[in-house]
Amino acid sequence: MSEASHPSHDGEHRRKRRKLTPDEKLLQARIEAASKEQAPLIDTPSIPSELPVRQHSRRPMPAAPAVAGLLSQPVVKGCLRVLKMATRTTVVIYLIVLAIVLVAIDRMGQSNLTTAALMYLPPWPWIAPAFFLLLPALFFDWKAAPALLLAIALFLQVYLDLQWRTAPLSSPPTPFETLRALTWNRGQSKHASLQPLKNELKPDFILLQDAAGRGKGYKGDKNYAEFRAVAEAGEFVLLSRWPILSSEVLSTRSDADNLPPGNLGAARFVVLAAGTRVTLYSVHLPSPRDALESYKRGSFLWGILGIPGTPWEAKKLRYQVFWDEQIARAAEILRRIQSEEGPVLVMGDFNTPAMGPIYRMYAETTLQDAHRSTGGGLGFTFPGDTGNPLALFQPWLRLDQIFASPHWQILQCAPQPARAQHLPVFGEFKLAKEPSL
């Protein structure tokens, strides 16, 4: 039988010879292309002309960023660990040194040559490193940052006696109920006028230090006619709207310890005001200028080196004489003040910062520090006219101070602007119904 006699063979042959549709052709081409890509290469691939053939024989290398990351990761961690330890060590050492220095200044003060000098320096360099260390602490050791912030807060609050409140604005005087007083060291006033201050503040009393011979001038000046009484005692002058009952310069007693005969550094005035006898103390302790100048000759270190039994002990004692007398004068004035029974106001140029043994001698008694009671800010009064960049061109010491006995309610206390070495300080007081003893 021939092939034509078999219909099944004819159908298969026709199916083999059937033409493919365009879609089928496209699908077939794609399948063939995919099979060729997966097949192993037999022919040598074409090589770009600009690349040498030998490069294709090398084993492929990892990507450069991945290699750099693997190599640098432990190095970076090690650097961060070193920076963290360095930052923490620096902060700890700084805080320990700062605490030792500030505690020594406050506790020893004038009783040691070295700390006596340190307490008169601008305070900002002591705390400046804390601000500079804050940035690396935040980056490398964030646990050190709270310690630095705490140190800054304690420095301002405890060491500088910063009062965060704003000093109250001066209000019109209330006759017979409140007393207003202004104290000023006129010796270095650089010819600054007192008149604008007294016209603005309207004080009942003006206590001037280092003003010998000025009393007669104020008596005959019609611009000060509101002050009915003027008293002069040595270098001290009192201008008062109220009657002055007595005035005297305090002199050293024969039984006073470590004090040569002469002026004690204060004057006592008794006035009749607010329906009672009020005692005013005007204080001007000797200036430490000459003693501080001696530090240029090397006496600064005798406070550390002058250990008893060493050759330097005699030098220490010689330079220490001034400071010992300063402490003894302040103690004797305080004994006179504490012997008073009625209302007392103490004000003037103490020539000692608001730290150290002399200041604590007054602040830790029943006397009230007017700045602490109602003052605002730092209350610095010296030097009032300065160009020292370490002090940020501002006063850096509170040498001029006001203290009040418990009989008073302190209403306000603030230094006043003036182009002078010592800034005047103004205070307002009201007799309390019951003394806060």
Side-chain angles (χ1 to χ4, degrees):
M1 182 181 291
S2 64
E3 293 180 1
S5 63
H6 298 280
S8 60
H9 289 285
D10 293 339
E12 291 176 2
H13 182 72
R14 282 195 300 267
R15 284 196 298 269
K16 290 181 181 180
R17 298 180 60 88
R18 183 175 61 85
K19 293 182 178 180
L20 300 175
T21 64
D23 293 336
E24 290 174 339
K25 291 180 180 180
L26 179 60
L27 178 60
Q28 184 177 3
R30 290 180 177 178
I31 293 173
E32 292 175 356
S35 63
K36 289 180 180 181
E37 290 178 358
Q38 295 177 0
L41 296 176
I42 299 175
D43 298 332
T44 303
S46 60
I47 302 173
S49 59
E50 64 273 16
L51 296 177
V53 176
R54 60 186 179 186
Q55 288 188 2
H56 289 269
S57 63
R58 292 182 177 180
R59 182 177 298 176
M61 297 295 293
V67 174
L70 292 173
L71 294 176
S72 63
Q73 189 174 5
V75 174
V76 171
K77 288 184 177 180
C79 290
L80 291 176
R81 191 178 298 110
V82 170
L83 289 172
K84 178 179 179 179
M85 292 302 300
T87 301
R88 180 171 298 183
T89 303
T90 304
V91 169
V92 170
I93 293 175
Y94 163 71
L95 293 179
I96 292 175
V97 172
L98 179 68
I100 292 174
V101 171
L102 298 187
V103 170
I105 291 174
D106 185 58
R107 291 296 157 183
M108 300 174 68
Q110 296 93 343
S111 63
N112 181 276
L113 288 173
T114 303
T115 55
L118 295 178
M119 68 192 304
Y120 285 89
L121 294 177
W124 302 120
W126 296 118
I127 200 62
F131 289 96
F132 288 111
L133 287 171
L134 268 178
L135 188 59
L138 291 173
F139 275 103
F140 306 121
D141 187 18
W142 63 268
K143 292 182 178 180
L148 291 171
L149 293 174
L150 179 61
I152 294 172
L154 291 176
F155 179 82
L156 295 173
Q157 181 71 46
V158 179
Y159 185 73
L160 295 185
D161 212 1
L162 172 66
Q163 302 300 320
W164 298 95
R165 59 178 171 268
T166 303
L169 298 175
S170 180
S171 57
T174 306
F176 305 105
E177 292 187 10
T178 62
L179 295 179
R180 300 155 72 93
L182 181 72
T183 178
W184 195 5
N185 181 336
R186 293 286 284 164
Q188 297 175 322
S189 58
K190 298 185 177 181
H191 306 291
S193 176
L194 175 61
Q195 192 169 338
L197 283 173
K198 67 97 177 174
N199 289 340
E200 177 186 356
L201 300 173
K202 297 178 173 54
D204 294 280
F205 310 109
I206 299 179
L207 290 89
L208 304 177
Q209 302 87 42
D210 207 353
R214 292 176 179 259
K216 293 181 179 179
Y218 289 119
K219 279 184 181 179
D221 192 339
K222 62 180 181 180
N223 293 315
Y224 293 86
E226 66 268 36
F227 297 104
R228 305 176 194 177
V230 177
E232 185 170 347
E235 65 165 284
F236 304 95
V237 173
L238 171 64
L239 283 68
S240 174
R241 295 176 184 265
W242 302 91
I244 300 176
L245 302 180
S246 66
S247 62
E248 62 173 317
V249 175
L250 300 186
S251 58
T252 56
R253 301 183 303 185
S254 59
D255 60 342
D257 297 331
N258 301 321
L259 284 176
N263 183 2
L264 193 58
R268 177 180 181 270
F269 301 93
V270 179
V271 298
L272 186 61
T276 187
R277 292 166 61 97
V278 177
T279 304
L280 305 175
Y281 278 84
S282 184
V283 178
H284 186 201
L285 293 176
S287 172
R289 187 179 297 106
D290 293 338
L292 295 174
E293 285 289 332
S294 71
Y295 289 126
K296 296 179 180 179
R297 299 189 291 272
S299 63
F300 172 82
L301 292 176
W302 299 133
I304 300 174
L305 301 177
I307 302 172
T310 63
W312 301 293
E313 182 184 8
K315 292 185 177 182
K316 173 186 176 181
L317 295 177
R318 184 170 72 251
Y319 286 112
Q320 188 66 41
V321 169
F322 171 82
W323 300 110
D324 290 341
E325 289 187 0
Q326 192 86 322
I327 296 174
R329 288 175 187 273
E332 180 62 20
I333 294 171
L334 181 60
R335 279 193 288 269
R336 307 280 182 94
I337 294 170
Q338 291 178 321
S339 67
E340 304 286 350
E341 295 183 356
V344 179
L345 293 174
V346 184
M347 58 191 71
D349 175 14
F350 284 74
N351 265 322
T352 182
M355 63 189 77
I358 292 180
Y359 173 75
R360 291 202 320 274
M361 190 186 301
Y362 284 74
E364 293 178 359
T365 63
T366 57
L367 292 175
Q368 307 173 76
D369 182 344
H371 170 73
R372 283 186 174 180
S373 298
T374 60
L378 296 167
F380 290 156
T381 65
F382 182 91
D385 189 14
T386 179
N388 191 334
L390 294 178
L392 308 179
F393 306 100
Q394 298 292 325
W396 71 80
L397 294 171
R398 184 156 65 91
L399 300 184
D400 304 84
Q401 303 168 34
I402 296 179
F403 294 94
S405 67
H407 304 82
W408 299 99
Q409 175 189 356
I410 303 174
L411 302 180
Q412 59 176 307
C413 176
Q416 303 299 311
R419 296 188 62 84
Q421 278 294 85
H422 286 267
L423 297 183
V425 182
F426 173 76
E428 185 174 8
F429 316 89
K430 181 179 181 180
L431 280 173
K433 294 181 179 180
E434 294 184 4
S436 55
L437 296 175

